[in-house]
Structures are given as structure tokens and as C-alpha cells.
Amino acid sequence: MTDTHASAARDDEPDLLRDQFRQLLRYRRLIGLGIGVGLLGGAWLGVSSAESYAAASDIRLRAPTNDPFDPALSVDKTINMGTERQTAVSSSVAEVAIEALGLPGGQLASFQRGLQVTNPPQTMVLHFTYTTTSPEEAARRANAVTKAYLDLRKKQWGELRDSMVKKSQNQLDPIAKEQNDLAKQLTAEGSGAPDSSRARNDDLLSKVGTLNSQIASLKALDMTAGTVIVRAVPPAGSSGLGLVVSLGVGGAVGIALGLLAAWVRLVFDPSPRSAGDVARAVRAPVLGSLPRTGEGGPLLAVDQSDSRLAEEYRSVAFRLAYDQRFADRRRLLVAAPRGGNSEAAAAVAANLAASFAETGKDVLLVEADLRTPSLSQRLRAGAPSRPGWSLPPDFDESGWPGPRQLQVDAGESGAFDLIPGERVRNVARALTSARVTRLIEEADSPNATVVVLAPPVLAYADALALVDRVDGVLIVCDPRAVHRADLVRIRELITGAGGTVLGAVTHSAPRRAGRRNTPKSGHRGGGSRASGRPVPPGAAPPELPAPAPAAPPVPAGDGSDTVALRTIRAGDR
């Protein structure tokens, strides 16, 4: 069993890598910016190094000694290569080289910028490299710096030796004078000189001999600081990488920089990075992902048989129909996280109602958005043909929902009923009224389905007032406009109110339409609706359909209404 799980995990790794790479590609601007910066840097490097030449020379260092063949001498313990390298790049060596080359003294900083000194590991060699715009000048300056370093080190060693010789001589002079005076005294006294004077004279002679030996050893030292093993010659070619190679290196570095920036942005992005993130946040599947559409198009898309958007709505409807949690009661609440997704939620609710009607269901769409109602204006809704006096007189004191409901023509998909939303004074009382409960309970009838459109969950608590009666909730969100924390909070609020999240539908921000739209035939049966085609020049702009009232007036005198049966709604007082 363990081997099976391990094999499955290994099989999922390529999919996870592909998913992560797709998520990185969401930040194409950052990746493009990184590539642009890399290419600019490569171009600058190629152009700046096109006329640069580097000449090199090598020096093998040695310590001052009077016997270079003495095997007991350890040069690596006498010379610190790090200190010697710092001395080689110091301003003291540069000043000596500038003076030898005859250059102005003000060029010290620019002269040092072209010099580089390195020490190959496990060697006593200093590698001098000088880079400038002329090959002959590069070789001349490299050799000048090498000679300046050797001369400076020889001078420093010589000054140190002279100082030590002088100190030894200062010690020798008084001792030699004292010994000379004592020797004269002993000569004058002859054999009668005391033994103490003779012992003192022998001691002074020993000290004089020792100091003379030290002075002789110091004067015999070879003060050469090193040997030039490679002299600089004019280089045959430029030391730069070339424009093509520099651009290639810059592009590779730019890709790495862009991917790193995209990865950092991905790590700190609070928005869901994929459909899997949305599903994990709401703990429900993503039932569909709506394609990007133009702004200002028709609300209903299911009556377009060749529309990709319509097929996506039908796919979501079929997935809901085969979900046992929805199939048992057929009550669906559609809501968005925040106000920016309200238009998409209204489109999903209307198209799902049309999709269910297309399968032969008796569908009732309830617009429970009593703050910004708009479905009756955007759908082809009309009053039913039955007379007003035959409608049930029950209605709530809040004024919504009224006793009359509209019928929406969905083209070839059929028709469904609509309870349009209306602005009321007390939204909470209207949503919790007995009339709303009876409307939602119509889904208990055979072959009936109720779809409720609610305001954004995180903007108002209206949706939570309907959750316990609807049970199944569909969340409509734009992954780039909502945070994972918002989706988690929505799920907690819905489950806390006694409901269930059936799934989510994702969408992208619509493309902005640059021109107005013109009406065209909405379905093969003949009606008209707004479409995405531009208005031809000189044509009048299309008129929006007038809002359908909840209780449309009936012409007087046709017997369909009487004064005795007329009701006055609370909102009209």
C-alpha cells in the first residue's frame, strides 16, 4: 500500500511542476521586465568591453636571504601573500608606476581602476592584469606596475636592512671603544694586570665579534623581492565577451531574474493562483471557468448554440444536476464575494436558470438583491398572460416579493419565471418573510428548480439570511480580484449559517468595449436583444428596455382588473 501511494505521488510531481510553471507565467510582465533588464545589461557589457584589452605579467616572490639554496628556509612562512597582494594594488605602487610612465599625477584613481592583482592558490606568484583601450598601452602599464612593485619592495627591504645595520652598529661602537681602552690598559700593566680586567676584556671581545657577524650577515643579504617569470605583451584580441555572447549571457541572467521576481510575487500573492487554490479555499470543486467576454454584452448566452460561454454555462448546470446534494432539493443560491463580481453572479444565475429550463425544468429565478436590482431591465421579461384578479392576493408588508411574477424568454432554451428584486425599506424583513419561504419551497414540487440571486456575501448579510432555506450555494468569483482569506471566510459564514457550498465558478474581468453596441436578433424565433456588434455610423444608439414593474398596469376596461381587487404596496405609499 505504501508503494502505491509513493508511486502516485511521483506521478503527480510532473503535474505539480507544470501547474507551478503556469502560475509563474501569470506574471509575464515581471518576467519580460527581467529579460529586458538582462538584455540591456548584456548590451552595455558587450559595447563597453568591445574596445578593452588586457595584458598580464607574473612575479614569483622570494624572501631576502644570503643562501637561496638553504633547504631550511621556508618562504611561505616568511611572506604573507595576502599582504603582498594588497601592497601590489596600493597607491604607493601606482604612484611609482605613474612616475615611471610619465603620466600626470591626477590619473591615480583611473590608473588603479584598470589594475587587478590575483594570487593563484598554493603558489608564491602574483598575477598582474592591466586592462585599457589600447593593447600596447595595456602591456606597457602592466610591466610598469610589475617593475614598480619589485622596486618598492626592494627599497622597503633595503630600508629595513639599513635600519637593522644601524642599530647593530650603534650597539657595537661603545662596546668596541670600551674594549679598545681596556686592551691598552692591559698592555701597559703587562703581567701584573688583574684577572678581572682580563675576563672583562675577553667578554667585550666576544660581544664585538657577535655584533660584527650580525652586521656582516645583514650586509650580505640579497634584497631582491622576486623574479619576473612572465612579461606582459600586447594582447592579440579584445578581452570582452563580444556583443552576441554578452546578449546571450544577459538574456539568460534576465530570464533567471524574471523567474525569481515572478516566484517572489507568486509566494506573496494573496489571490488564488489557480482553480486548485479556489477549490481548497471553499472546500468544493470549481464547476466551471467562464471565458473572457466583451463588456456590455447580453446577459443571457445559453440561447447562442455556437457560443463557448453558453456551453460553459450548460456544463456547470449539468454538473450541478448530477450533484446529489443539489438534485435532492433543487434549490440554489448564487452569490459573489464582493461587489466587483455582482455582474458575473447575475449572469451565472440567469444562464443557469435558462440551462435548467432547457432540460425541461420549471425554473423560478428569484432576484433577492433588493439593494441594486437590475434583472428585469436586462432580461426579456414580460408579465404573464393571466389576469391580475386571478393572482393570489398574498404579499408581505415590506412590499417584496409582490404577488405577480414575470416570465423571461430565453430563446431556444425556453422560458423561466422571474421574481424581480425591488428596493424596499427593510431588506432583512423582506428576505425573511413567509412569502419568500413559500417561493423557495416551490422547488419541492416535482420537476421544479429555484435559483436565488443574492447580494455579495462579504458586503451584506442578505445571502446568509437565505442560506438555511436554500442549502446549496454557488460562489462566483474572479480569482485575481479576491483573496484566499475572503473565500475561506465565505465558506465559514455559509457553513456556520447551515448551508453547503456546492462549488465555485471562476471568471475573468471582461474586455472593455471601445464602441457602443447595437441590437440584433437574439434567437431564431424572432425577438430582439442587445448584442456585442458596434453601432454603424449615423445610426441611433439602441434604447435599453424599460424596467418591468413587479405589478404591471393592465389596460382599463378589459375586465382583467377591478378596483376592488387592486392592492397598494408598501413601497408605493
Side-chain angles (χ1 to χ4, degrees), residues 68-93:
F69 302 103
D70 186 2
L73 182 63
S74 180
V75 181
D76 57 343
K77 294 182 179 179
T78 307
I79 299 178
N80 188 321
M81 295 304 298
T83 303
E84 296 300 325
R85 195 185 70 83
Q86 293 297 326
T87 303
V89 297
S90 65
S91 58
S92 302
V93 175

Side-chain angles (χ1 to χ4, degrees), residues 280-313:
R280 283 188 291 272
V282 300
R283 295 185 184 178
V286 175
L287 301 178
S289 179
L290 304 181
R292 190 188 299 269
T293 59
E295 188 177 10
L299 190 64
L300 283 179
V302 294
D303 57 347
Q304 303 175 8
S305 58
D306 57 346
S307 171
R308 178 187 169 193
L309 181 60
E311 293 304 319
E312 191 67 26
Y313 283 126

Side-chain angles (χ1 to χ4, degrees), residues 346-407:
V348 170
N351 284 277
L352 286 181
S355 298
F356 289 132
E358 190 175 11
T359 61
K361 301 290 185 181
D362 296 331
V363 183
L364 174 64
L365 175 60
V366 179
E367 185 182 14
D369 187 355
L370 307 183
R371 303 178 187 273
T372 56
S374 62
L375 284 184
S376 61
Q377 302 175 12
R378 303 178 60 185
L379 296 174
R380 294 189 298 272
S385 58
R386 54 184 174 177
W389 53 265
S390 64
L391 297 175
D394 56 336
F395 66 96
D396 192 80
E397 294 181 357
S398 62
W400 183 89
R404 185 182 294 271
Q405 62 190 34
L406 306 179
Q407 192 174 57

Side-chain angles (χ1 to χ4, degrees), residues 209-293:
T210 301
L211 290 173
N212 283 327
S213 176
Q214 291 179 359
I215 293 173
S217 298
L218 290 173
K219 290 182 178 180
L221 288 176
D222 184 3
M223 306 308 296
T224 303
T227 305
V228 178
I229 58 177
V230 176
R231 290 189 65 82
V233 295
S238 173
S239 61
L241 297 176
L243 184 59
V244 177
V245 178
S246 298
L247 286 176
V249 173
V253 174
I255 291 174
L257 183 64
L259 289 176
L260 177 61
W263 179 79
V264 173
R265 178 69 177 86
L266 182 65
V267 170
F268 293 99
D269 189 2
S271 302
R273 299 186 291 251
S274 63
D277 284 354
V278 176
R280 283 188 291 272
V282 300
R283 295 185 184 178
V286 175
L287 301 178
S289 179
L290 304 181
R292 190 188 299 269
T293 59

Side-chain angles (χ1 to χ4, degrees), residues 519-543:
K520 78 167 189 176
S521 177
H523 57 279
R524 299 175 186 174
S528 63
R529 59 176 174 82
S531 68
R533 293 187 178 179
V535 179
E543 298 182 359

Side-chain angles (χ1 to χ4, degrees), residues 152-516:
L152 181 64
R153 293 303 288 152
K154 185 176 182 179
K155 179 183 178 182
Q156 291 175 346
W157 286 118
E159 291 176 351
L160 180 60
R161 180 192 62 181
D162 294 342
S163 176
M164 294 177 67
V165 169
K166 183 178 180 181
K167 289 181 180 179
S168 299
Q169 189 66 43
N170 292 337
Q171 294 178 5
L172 175 62
D173 289 342
I175 295 175
K177 184 178 182 303
E178 182 181 358
Q179 189 274 330
N180 190 26
D181 294 342
L182 184 58
K184 291 180 180 180
Q185 181 181 355
L186 291 175
T187 302
E189 292 179 357
S191 59
D195 295 338
S196 59
S197 297
R198 295 181 183 276
R200 174 62 178 168
N201 185 49
D202 294 339
D203 183 49
L204 292 175
L205 286 173
S206 176
K207 290 182 178 180
V208 169
T210 301
L211 290 173
N212 283 327
S213 176
Q214 291 179 359
I215 293 173
S217 298
L218 290 173
K219 290 182 178 180
L221 288 176
D222 184 3
M223 306 308 296
T224 303
T227 305
V228 178
I229 58 177
V230 176
R231 290 189 65 82
V233 295
S238 173
S239 61
L241 297 176
L243 184 59
V244 177
V245 178
S246 298
L247 286 176
V249 173
V253 174
I255 291 174
L257 183 64
L259 289 176
L260 177 61
W263 179 79
V264 173
R265 178 69 177 86
L266 182 65
V267 170
F268 293 99
D269 189 2
S271 302
R273 299 186 291 251
S274 63
D277 284 354
V278 176
R280 283 188 291 272
V282 300
R283 295 185 184 178
V286 175
L287 301 178
S289 179
L290 304 181
R292 190 188 299 269
T293 59
E295 188 177 10
L299 190 64
L300 283 179
V302 294
D303 57 347
Q304 303 175 8
S305 58
D306 57 346
S307 171
R308 178 187 169 193
L309 181 60
E311 293 304 319
E312 191 67 26
Y313 283 126
R314 292 188 180 96
S315 175
V316 174
F318 277 114
R319 294 188 66 177
L320 285 172
Y322 285 103
D323 190 333
Q324 195 62 33
R325 295 172 297 177
F326 173 76
D328 288 343
R329 304 187 67 179
R330 301 179 305 283
R331 302 172 181 177
L332 179 65
L333 177 70
V334 180
R338 297 190 182 277
N341 304 109
S342 299
E343 294 293 327
V348 170
N351 284 277
L352 286 181
S355 298
F356 289 132
E358 190 175 11
T359 61
K361 301 290 185 181
D362 296 331
V363 183
L364 174 64
L365 175 60
V366 179
E367 185 182 14
D369 187 355
L370 307 183
R371 303 178 187 273
T372 56
S374 62
L375 284 184
S376 61
Q377 302 175 12
R378 303 178 60 185
L379 296 174
R380 294 189 298 272
S385 58
R386 54 184 174 177
W389 53 265
S390 64
L391 297 175
D394 56 336
F395 66 96
D396 192 80
E397 294 181 357
S398 62
W400 183 89
R404 185 182 294 271
Q405 62 190 34
L406 306 179
Q407 192 174 57
V408 177
D409 179 13
E412 292 185 349
S413 298
F416 58 89
D417 294 335
L418 170 66
I419 301 295
E422 296 179 6
R423 295 181 181 273
V424 296
R425 184 172 302 177
N426 193 325
V427 175
R429 179 177 298 176
L431 293 176
T432 56
S433 64
R435 169 69 172 157
V436 174
T437 303
R438 287 193 296 271
L439 285 174
I440 296 177
E441 288 178 352
E442 289 187 10
D444 295 338
S445 304
N447 204 37
T449 301
V450 174
V451 179
V452 181
L453 174 62
V457 179
L458 298 180
Y460 308 101
D462 301 354
L464 301 180
L466 301 168
V467 164
D468 58 338
R469 286 171 284 178
V470 176
D471 295 333
V473 180
L474 183 65
I475 301 174
V476 181
C477 66
D478 182 356
R480 299 192 180 189
V482 69
H483 293 176
R484 287 188 296 270
D486 294 340
L487 296 177
V488 173
R489 176 164 175 76
I490 289 173
R491 174 181 53 80
E492 293 175 348
L493 291 173
I494 291 174
T495 56
T500 303
V501 179
L502 297 179
V505 174
T506 61
H507 67 94
S508 301
R511 300 187 183 93
R512 295 188 177 275
R515 294 177 292 182
R516 292 183 177 179

